[in-house]
Amino acid sequence: MKLKITLFSCFFWMTCTAPEMPAPEEIIAEASISVPLPAKSVVLPRKNLPKGWTVNRETLADWQSSLPQVLGISLDTNTTAEFWEEAMTLKSGIKLPLKRAKVTFHHQTRITSEIIELQFINVDYIYSVTNYESSHYELDGVLKTVELRGTGFPQLVADDVLRHKVLLVYGTPDDFDGTWHHYKDKETEFSVRVVDNKHLAVQMRSRAVTKKLKHALRDMYSEEGIELRKQQLMGGFDL
């Protein structure tokens, strides 16, 4: 009889003093796994910068591809090119028009909505006004605006993309001006900025086309270049 009373007393004491169920956030906090940092820092290999227009990590058009070539691989067969002149004033005071063009595409993935602007320049026109056809326009830049779509829980934000798809892929920027993260290699200048939580901007420029433009301007509009052109004009002149 005493044994039964003792067992009943123990059971009554345990039920009365049972701890309360912790809140869900406490359970999550206690269950969180802490991953220790490695003893030595791990250096990730730096990935090469894009060398033109890429979609899903595949290069569709290299730098200096002609406008007709790019339109031929268009994601949208109804896409047309826009042409305009960009006024440029040299240090000498000479003003000249740069012939430019662009093609705009819209591209959507499961988590992003992108507007892609492919930029072209006609360097050959600097040498001769007869070089005006679309085949003389070559790809020299890409401008992207990226909008993050709703991903439910967890929701991706622009800083997540910057950290995982830029900084962890291309490494420490060559320069950060407070807004843009700048990278460059032998072929490409690459810049990324966070606009807000949902938007990023990406700019790419071909270094080879930039050098080609500077070379053309030097050939045609430097003092030496102008003097050489005068001599060529007077080649068939006879008094």
Side-chain angles (χ1 to χ4, degrees), residues 33 180 182 186 219:
I33 299 175
W180 291 91
H182 300 284
K186 293 182 179 180
D219 284 348

Side-chain angles (χ1 to χ4, degrees), residues 72-83:
I73 56 174
S74 168
L75 300 179
D76 183 354
T77 55
N78 295 322
T79 300
T80 58
E82 299 178 45
F83 298 87

Side-chain angles (χ1 to χ4, degrees), residues 91-119:
K91 291 181 180 180
S92 60
I94 297 175
K95 297 182 179 181
L96 68 151
L98 293 180
K99 296 288 187 178
R100 291 193 174 275
K102 68 178 181 180
V103 178
T104 304
F105 299 101
H106 296 265
H107 179 64
Q108 287 196 352
T109 68
R110 184 174 59 88
I111 61 175
T112 64
S113 179
E114 303 176 8
I115 300 176
I116 306 168
E117 181 180 293
L118 306 181
Q119 301 172 342

Side-chain angles (χ1 to χ4, degrees), residues 7-8 17 28 75 83 109 153 158 178 181 188 214 217-218 236:
L7 292 174
F8 178 80
T17 59
I28 293 174
L75 300 179
F83 298 87
T109 68
F153 180 82
H181 297 76
T188 303
K214 292 179 179 179
L217 294 173
R218 185 172 60 250

Side-chain angles (χ1 to χ4, degrees), residues 88 90 98 121 123 126-127 189 206-222:
M88 183 178 189
L90 304 180
L98 293 180
I121 188 171
V123 178
I126 296 174
Y127 291 101
E189 292 180 359
S206 167
R207 300 190 73 186
V209 178
T210 300
K211 291 179 181 178
K212 183 177 179 179
L213 173 61
K214 292 179 179 179
H215 186 74
L217 294 173
R218 185 172 60 250
D219 284 348
M220 302 300 290
Y221 295 100
S222 66

Side-chain angles (χ1 to χ4, degrees), residues 31-60:
S32 297
I33 299 175
S34 177
V35 181
L37 295 174
K40 296 182 179 180
S41 59
V42 178
V43 179
L44 298 175
R46 181 167 170 172
K47 185 178 178 181
N48 292 330
L49 297 175
K51 297 178 176 59
W53 175 31
T54 61
V55 174
N56 297 329
R57 302 174 186 172
E58 178 183 356
T59 301
L60 298 185

